[in-house]
Amino acid sequence: GAPAPGRARGGRRGRVCAISMQEQDTKEYTRNERLREEIESPFRKARQFLVPWLIASAALAAFISGTRMLAILSGVTGYDLQETALNLFVDVAAIGVMGFIVVRDKKAEGKSLERIARSGVLAAMRVEVAGETGKSAMLPMKAFRRSQRVTIVAGGPEVVNAAKEMATEGREALTDAGVVVVPVQLRGVSPVPGEKVEAIRSAAGITGEVAVPEGDDAWMSPCLGKAVNPDEWTRWLKDEVEQAEAQGLDPAEGIVLNVERSGFIKKRSVGVPNWKEHAAISKKINSVKYGMPSFG
């Protein structure tokens, strides 16, 4: 029979450590992840099947041309030097080009599988949101697929507060556009200076002081969710934080990840998104009928 939901989630969460710690050549991916990668890049599989045969054919031709070249250099007559040299060059060049294609496709496949695997882990992570009546529900991220865009805003406490203010001020527009903002506070980051906080708030379209309801869960709304199990979220965000730091950015000032209806992250930015622009873009995207197949 099908595994219990709790066990399924446990398997996903257990794999998050493997995904972040193991080397590329020791990673294992599920059948569904590999199937999804093949659907996304069908021609890559065709190339991976055909190119090795072409390399073998070019290698055989190069061997023949090479032996002929050695014969010519040894004084054997009957072969045209210029033609043999040209054939050898073309064969060797073909091997090099096709070898490059193989390596490039292998790297691209690895990156694609890594992205799909990370999306699979993200799909099992949970968000708590409140309905219009105030009643809350705890949902896995995959529950938002096909209907809503989830915007993860990770950063220091100042950025998390700004994200709550942004979603509270733009609640009506964001809810109508099908957006769910999920603030995640990063640990061990430096405080954000006051002037930068004000710049982030201004860029986010926050006007004046926004009355965010106080309390552990009172601030939640249909467009503002709480990340359940923050430790799990910070572990998953570790790669994003390292990537931001490698680019010279300060994660404390905000990392924005837009999770599309496919479950993939298609856009990254910094700070806190402007709620008016974000609502307009999301409403346009969500108005298009979504039809990508699901694999669990």
Side-chain angles (χ1 to χ4, degrees), residues 150-170:
V150 178
T151 300
I152 303 169
V153 182
E158 302 87 356
V159 167
V160 168
N161 290 335
K164 291 178 181 179
E165 289 182 299
M166 178 273 289
T168 300
E169 181 167 340

Side-chain angles (χ1 to χ4, degrees), residues 161-184:
N161 290 335
K164 291 178 181 179
E165 289 182 299
M166 178 273 289
T168 300
E169 181 167 340
R171 173 172 174 167
E172 183 177 349
L174 292 172
T175 301
D176 182 60
V179 176
V180 178
V181 178
V182 181
V184 181

Side-chain angles (χ1 to χ4, degrees), residues 17-257:
C17 294
I19 290 172
S20 60
M21 297 176 65
Q22 292 181 349
E23 296 297 328
Q24 180 66 43
D25 58 354
T26 62
K27 289 179 184 174
E28 294 183 0
Y29 298 100
T30 66
R31 177 177 174 274
N32 286 342
E33 289 166 350
R34 291 192 177 277
L35 181 59
R36 190 161 191 170
E37 191 277 330
E38 289 178 15
I39 290 175
E40 287 185 3
S41 305
F43 296 112
R44 182 183 297 147
K45 287 299 178 185
R47 288 196 301 271
Q48 288 177 338
F49 175 77
L50 292 173
V51 170
W53 289 98
L54 295 175
I55 291 177
S57 177
L60 178 59
F63 173 76
I64 295 172
S65 297
T67 55
R68 288 180 177 178
M69 180 62 70
L70 289 175
I72 293 172
L73 295 177
S74 299
V76 176
T77 60
Y79 299 113
D80 182 84
L81 175 61
Q82 186 174 359
E83 181 182 355
T84 302
L86 178 61
N87 289 340
L88 180 60
F89 173 78
V90 170
D91 294 335
V92 172
I95 293 172
V97 170
M98 288 184 286
F100 170 78
I101 292 174
V102 169
V103 173
R104 184 197 61 182
D105 280 348
K106 191 65 178 176
K107 289 182 178 180
E109 181 185 41
K111 289 181 180 179
S112 182
L113 284 168
E114 173 75 10
R115 174 176 56 84
I116 291 170
R118 277 181 55 79
S119 296
V121 175
L122 179 63
M125 294 164 64
R126 294 171 295 164
V127 175
E128 186 174 0
V129 292
E132 293 293 351
T133 61
K135 186 177 180 180
S136 65
M138 199 175 294
L139 303 170
M141 282 285 290
K142 63 182 178 182
F144 300 102
R145 289 182 179 177
R146 290 181 171 77
S147 60
Q148 292 172 291
R149 297 179 81 210
V150 178
T151 300
I152 303 169
V153 182
E158 302 87 356
V159 167
V160 168
N161 290 335
K164 291 178 181 179
E165 289 182 299
M166 178 273 289
T168 300
E169 181 167 340
R171 173 172 174 167
E172 183 177 349
L174 292 172
T175 301
D176 182 60
V179 176
V180 178
V181 178
V182 181
V184 181
Q185 183 169 326
L186 300 176
R187 298 179 179 178
V189 295
S190 303
V192 181
E195 61 273 13
K196 286 191 176 181
V197 174
E198 288 305 314
I200 291 171
R201 292 179 76 254
S202 176
I206 302 170
T207 56
E209 295 296 326
V210 179
V212 178
E214 297 182 358
D216 292 339
D217 301 329
W219 50 267
M220 292 190 304
S221 71
C223 70
L224 182 58
K226 181 175 74 172
V228 179
N229 193 349
D231 289 341
E232 185 179 38
W233 281 84
T234 53
R235 282 197 301 270
W236 186 87
L237 285 164
K238 181 180 178 182
D239 288 347
E240 301 292 340
V241 171
E242 291 176 351
Q243 183 178 343
E245 290 175 338
Q247 296 175 354
L249 303 174
D250 185 358
E253 297 178 12
I255 301 173
V256 181
L257 309 176

